[in-house]
Amino acid sequence: MGIDFNHLIELIPDINTAFLQTIYMIAISLAIAIIIGLPVGILLYVTDKGLFLQNGAVQVCMGFLVNLIRSIPFIILLVALIPLTNLIVGTTIGPTAASVSLSVAAIPFFARIVETALREIDKGVIEAAIAAGATPWMIIKDVLLLEARSGIISGITLTLISLIGFSAMAGTVGGGGIGDLAIRFGYYRYDNTIMIATVVILIVLVQFVQLLGDFIAKAVDKRK
């Protein structure tokens, strides 16, 4: 098992296309996860017992829905959402189609991370804001998001890395990207060169994302 460099050079256009497809699908999924998952995570926290928007019914329903989606393995979710994917984007193949399943998997994942980050905030800070007459929106915007920003950025990093792994899995059902390349060439054609290349690309990509995420999280952490 080794690398044929001449063969690797021939495959550079395919690798570039697959890499861009991976970036495309995880960018869409991450954006949707943040747009929907962030308010869901905040809602899970502020409606909990003892908080300023306590609401047991909302908390239980949201928690059940989040846990329901998170309990389904991604490969099963990927197949189960094929009808929904076809309904939304008109196809079940390609990176745009894969973005639907990736987004559905990422939203509850990120929401729980946001909720966990918010739970690390000192309750005294929230009580002080309430005593000062802050509205719920002001508490969320100026206290919760500000205090938990480092944890939320770490959560975005974790979600992004998970999406990179999920996107590779999406290749098994024609989702495109690095995973698709690895399956078509590395698995079906026993092409060791492309298999090694795709593994190296994924490792480098994850390392880069983690280092960048750690750097930004530390930079905005007011506790240091």
Side-chain angles (χ1 to χ4, degrees):
M1 184 174 183
I3 293 182
D4 181 341
F5 287 100
N6 290 328
H7 182 46
L8 182 63
I9 292 172
E10 292 173 358
L11 290 171
I12 284 178
D14 291 310
I15 294 173
N16 285 337
T17 300
F19 181 75
L20 292 176
Q21 287 177 339
T22 295
I23 298 298
Y24 170 76
M25 70 175 85
I26 64 176
I28 292 175
S29 307
L30 182 65
I32 295 174
I34 293 173
I35 291 170
I36 301 177
L38 182 61
V40 170
I42 293 172
L43 200 60
L44 281 169
Y45 176 68
V46 300
T47 57
D48 201 4
K49 187 177 181 181
L51 271 297
F52 55 94
L53 290 179
Q54 178 179 330
N55 188 316
V58 172
Q59 222 278 338
V60 169
C61 289
M62 293 292 293
F64 175 77
L65 186 60
V66 166
N67 291 340
L68 177 69
I69 299 174
R70 290 194 64 199
S71 65
I72 304 172
F74 180 68
I75 190 68
I76 297 175
L77 189 68
L78 196 62
V79 176
L81 290 177
I82 284 178
L84 177 66
T85 301
N86 194 37
L87 181 68
I88 294 175
V89 299
T91 179
T92 60
I93 298 173
T96 302
S99 300
V100 175
S101 301
L102 289 170
S103 300
V104 172
I107 289 169
F109 181 79
F110 182 61
R112 282 299 187 197
I113 291 176
V114 170
E115 182 193 10
T116 301
L118 295 176
R119 290 194 184 284
E120 294 180 357
I121 298 174
D122 185 353
K123 292 281 181 63
V125 178
I126 300 173
E127 291 169 0
I130 295 172
T135 63
W137 170 242
M138 290 170 66
I139 296 173
I140 291 171
K141 179 172 66 72
D142 299 329
V143 178
L144 297 185
L145 292 179
L146 204 59
E147 291 288 327
R149 58 188 174 184
S150 178
I152 291 173
I153 289 173
S154 295
I156 291 174
T157 304
L158 190 58
T159 304
L160 185 52
I161 290 173
S162 297
L163 281 171
I164 292 171
F166 287 161
S167 71
M169 209 180 299
T172 58
V173 293
I178 295 295
D180 182 54
L181 195 67
I183 293 293
R184 284 192 292 116
F185 286 83
Y187 182 68
Y188 290 124
R189 303 183 189 180
Y190 304 103
D191 189 332
N192 293 331
T193 296
I194 198 67
M195 182 60 81
I196 293 172
T198 53
V199 169
V200 170
I201 289 171
L202 290 173
I203 290 173
V204 172
L205 187 58
V206 168
Q207 294 291 333
F208 173 76
V209 169
Q210 186 65 63
L211 288 173
L212 181 63
D214 289 345
F215 174 77
I216 297 174
K218 288 178 182 176
V220 302
D221 189 356
K222 60 179 290 187
R223 295 169 297 184
K224 69 179 181 180

